[in-house]
Amino acid sequence: MARVDGPLRDHLVGVLLQALHHDEREFVRRLAHLPAIDAATADALDLTEDLGGLPPIVLPVYGKGGRYGVPEPLRETIQQRLPLAEPERRALLEAFQGM
């Protein structure tokens, strides 16, 4: 911790992301650009069905029964560390909105 320069949250998110396998990291990368989703929506968007397997990055959204998302404090950091190209981001959001 003595070598951390910058916000601790950014450092810890980076450590968490590095610990993920490639497929998990790609899932988190895309999910960080979406609001809460359920398993059916994740499957339709070709993300994954196992939404509960990545705490503390992907968590249940309270009051949204069965929906999971990237918590708001982490969302921006993940978007900065694992950006989507604008056409990819737009296509993902359009597919999500079409559901």
Side-chain angles (χ1 to χ4, degrees), residues 55 83 97:
Q97 291 170 352

Side-chain angles (χ1 to χ4, degrees), residues 20-99:
L20 296 176
H21 296 293
H22 173 74
D23 292 342
E24 293 170 333
R25 197 169 24 259
E26 182 60 22
F27 167 69
V28 168
R29 176 179 174 247
R30 294 176 69 199
L31 185 59
H33 291 272
L34 297 172
I37 62 172
D38 58 20
T41 303
D43 189 36
L45 293 172
D46 197 26
L47 295 176
T48 185
E49 290 183 47
D50 184 20
L51 293 171
L54 294 172
I57 297 175
V58 178
L59 298 172
V61 178
Y62 297 105
K64 301 273 186 175
R67 292 182 176 261
Y68 289 78
V70 173
E72 195 59 44
L74 305 180
R75 185 180 301 269
E76 185 177 326
T77 301
I78 292 170
Q79 289 174 356
Q80 290 172 355
R81 287 184 170 267
L82 302 174
L84 288 176
E86 187 56 29
E88 184 181 3
R89 189 186 72 77
R90 217 171 327 154
L92 179 63
L93 289 172
E94 286 173 9
F96 174 79
Q97 291 170 352
M99 309 217 122

